[in-house]
């Protein structure tokens, strides 16, 4: 089968250049002043996991809630692929709100000693470890002949999740065992490799919509384990996070943003077909409306701003030495506005 191109997979990618590496975290946090009240700069990544932001943007909900509070808010949106570029932009003061998986966000909280915290969840969506190897049915079955594609080997959401499970299976001293056969590859390319076959990449820790496409595109592809299996149930995939400077200096703007997120999440669950149309329009996706609606309707996927099972990452990654700071609860690394939710 011919390998799928990016347009076939329904995702467009923008290369992020010119931000530069931050020189020292403390210095970087002071380098760019927080935006003045009435302005917010937001970056999101690509995929159905960012549907809440698509709705916020499409319906201009931040502007709506700002006006209700007596503030005209100017909203700037950026599309960036990858947590590294997100973090550099946040630290340099070029963005106010960024988005990534829970482990990269926790790393930022840890490294900045709490000067970066999470704003809200963007939904609980599982990731699947997929493979075309007929002999692999559990993580223990992988050998040095297999290659597991992940977006950011060793450090991203998928790798950190595998590390938590590897520590259980092989002992804490071997928590990086599966990193040895992991390679960095964007989700679209990894999906194309599984569907076409014949490449060294025979496995993929995949997110929606990609695992739907892989399972439908090649009968040899099968699921090994879900992130929900590893984390003990539904768990937040992506989160939004920001600096304490922006949060503290822009209370009305921040409140409008948080209210917009909550409204978007409720609207999605009440208007699923329209939400699918919004995703396709905002992300200029080539996915079929039927597939997008199938994903939104999937009971495993919950588009909510309430954090779920994030503390497992905080506690387990601290035990493994990945995080240097020990959180007492999930509220330590989320801003107070989220504390009223029944999170975790």
């Amino acid at each position: 089968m011919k390998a799928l191109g990016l347009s076939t997979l329904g995702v467009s990618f923008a290369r992020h250049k010119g931000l530069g590496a931050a020189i020292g975290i403390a210095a970087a946090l002071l380098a760019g002043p927080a935006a003045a009240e009435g302005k917010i700069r937001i970056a999101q990544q690509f995929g159905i996991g960012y549907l809440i932001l698509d709705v916020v943007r499409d319906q201009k909900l931040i502007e709506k809630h700002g006006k209700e509070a007596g503030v005209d808010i100017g909203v700037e949106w950026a599309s960036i692929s990858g947590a590294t570029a997100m973090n550099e932009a946040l630290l340099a003061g070029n963005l106010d709100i960024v988005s990534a998986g829970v482990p990269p966000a926790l790393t930022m909280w840890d490294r900045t000693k709490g000067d970066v915290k999470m704003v809200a969840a963007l939904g609980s969506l599982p990731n699947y470890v997929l493979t075309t190897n007929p002999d692999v049915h559990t993580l223990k079955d992988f050998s040095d002949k297999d290659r597991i594609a992940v977006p950011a080997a060793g450090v991203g959401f998928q790798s950190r999740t595998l590390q938590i499970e590897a520590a259980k299976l092989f002992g804490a001293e071997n928590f990086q065992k599966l990193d040895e056969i992991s390679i960095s590859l964007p989700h679209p390319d990894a999906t194309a490799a599984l569907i076409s076959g014949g490449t060294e990449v025979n496995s993929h820790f995949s997110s929606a919509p990609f695992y739907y496409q892989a399972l439908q595109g090649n009968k040899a592809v099968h699921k090994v384990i879900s992130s929900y299996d590893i984390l003990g149930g539904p768990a937040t995939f992506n989160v939004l996070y920001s600096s304490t400077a922006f949060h503290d200096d822009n209370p009305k703007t921040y409140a409008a943003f948080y209210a917009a997120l909550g409204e978007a999440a409720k609207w999605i669950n009440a208007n699923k077909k329209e939400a699918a149309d919004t995703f396709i329009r905002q992300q200029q996706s080539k996915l079929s409306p039927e597939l997008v609606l199938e994903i939104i309707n999937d009971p495993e996927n919950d588009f909510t701003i309430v954090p779920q099972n994030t503390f497992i990452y905080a506690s387990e990654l601290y035990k493994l030495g990945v995080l240097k700071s020990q959180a007492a609860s999930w509220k330590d690394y989320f801003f107070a506005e989220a504390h009223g939710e029944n999170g975790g």
Side-chain angles (χ1 to χ4, degrees):
M1 183 180 290
K2 184 179 179 182
L4 297 182
L6 295 185
S7 61
T8 306
L9 288 168
V11 179
S12 60
F13 283 83
R15 294 187 178 275
H16 183 71
K17 299 179 179 179
L19 290 176
I23 305 175
I25 295 209
L29 283 168
L30 298 173
E37 183 84 278
K39 179 181 179 182
I40 188 169
R41 301 162 298 175
I42 307 161
Q44 73 176 82
Q45 300 192 54
F46 306 90
I48 195 70
Y50 297 91
L51 178 59
I52 288 177
L53 291 181
D54 292 330
V55 172
V56 168
R57 185 175 186 173
D58 192 67
Q59 298 185 14
K60 298 186 182 301
L61 296 181
I62 302 170
E63 295 89 333
K64 169 191 168 182
H65 285 279
K67 287 181 180 178
E68 290 175 356
V71 180
D72 289 325
I73 301 176
V75 184
E76 296 179 9
W77 293 89
S79 296
I80 299 175
S81 181
T84 300
M86 289 277 188
N87 292 344
E88 289 178 358
L90 181 64
L91 290 172
N94 294 324
L95 289 170
D96 304 310
I97 306 286
V98 297
S99 51
V102 175
L106 277 170
T107 299
M108 286 290 286
W109 167 79
D110 181 53
R111 290 173 62 200
T112 62
K113 302 185 184 302
D115 281 336
V116 169
K117 290 185 178 181
M118 300 182 204
V119 175
L122 284 175
S124 295
L125 296 89
N127 280 221
Y128 287 1
V129 176
L130 305 176
T131 188
T132 57
N133 186 338
D135 297 324
V136 173
H137 300 286
T138 72
L139 292 181
K140 286 186 174 181
D141 296 330
F142 281 111
S143 73
D144 58 6
K145 295 180 181 179
D146 296 298
R147 292 294 178 270
I148 306 172
V150 294
V155 297
F157 171 91
Q158 290 79 9
S159 283
R160 294 303 190 198
T161 306
L162 285 177
Q163 289 169 3
I164 290 172
E165 187 67 8
K168 298 176 187 175
L169 296 175
F170 309 111
E173 68 278 8
N174 297 311
F175 78 95
Q176 294 176 306
K177 182 178 177 65
L178 294 172
D179 291 353
E180 298 171 4
I181 59 171
S182 297
I183 63 172
S184 296
L185 198 65
H187 284 308
D189 296 341
T191 305
L194 259 62
I195 291 176
S196 63
T199 73
E200 68 168 347
V201 175
N202 66 349
S203 306
H204 178 205
F205 204 165
S206 179
S207 65
F210 304 104
Y211 65 77
Y212 292 86
Q213 294 173 299
L215 289 167
Q216 293 174 9
N218 184 348
K219 293 182 179 179
V221 175
H222 62 276
K223 182 177 79 170
V224 178
I225 195 171
S226 164
S227 59
Y228 282 8
D229 298 326
I230 295 171
L231 300 170
T236 297
F237 178 24
N238 294 313
V239 291
L240 295 161
Y241 48 108
S242 183
S243 67
T244 56
F246 178 79
H247 171 272
D248 295 347
D249 294 345
N250 303 274
K252 292 183 179 180
T253 302
Y254 186 94
F257 177 60
Y258 192 81
L261 296 172
E263 181 176 343
K266 291 179 181 178
W267 184 86
I268 290 167
N269 288 288
N271 302 274
K272 294 184 176 181
K273 184 179 182 302
E274 293 82 357
D277 294 338
T278 298
F279 167 79
I280 291 171
R281 180 171 59 253
Q282 280 294 324
Q283 299 207 20
Q284 299 180 0
S285 174
K286 303 300 182 183
L287 294 175
S288 70
E290 292 78 15
L291 176 57
V292 177
L293 185 57
E294 176 187 344
I295 295 170
I296 294 174
N297 278 323
D298 190 327
E300 282 198 317
N301 300 326
D302 184 7
F303 295 93
T304 174
I305 65 169
V306 179
Q308 292 182 284
N309 272 329
T310 66
F311 191 66
I312 292 177
Y313 285 107
S315 59
E316 294 302 317
L317 294 179
Y318 173 77
K319 291 177 186 177
L320 296 175
V322 174
L323 300 177
K324 306 304 180 186
S325 303
Q326 184 174 16
S329 80
W330 67 274
K331 293 181 179 180
D332 285 355
Y333 48 82
F334 271 89
F335 285 114
E337 286 76 3
H339 293 180
E341 309 289 356
N342 187 23

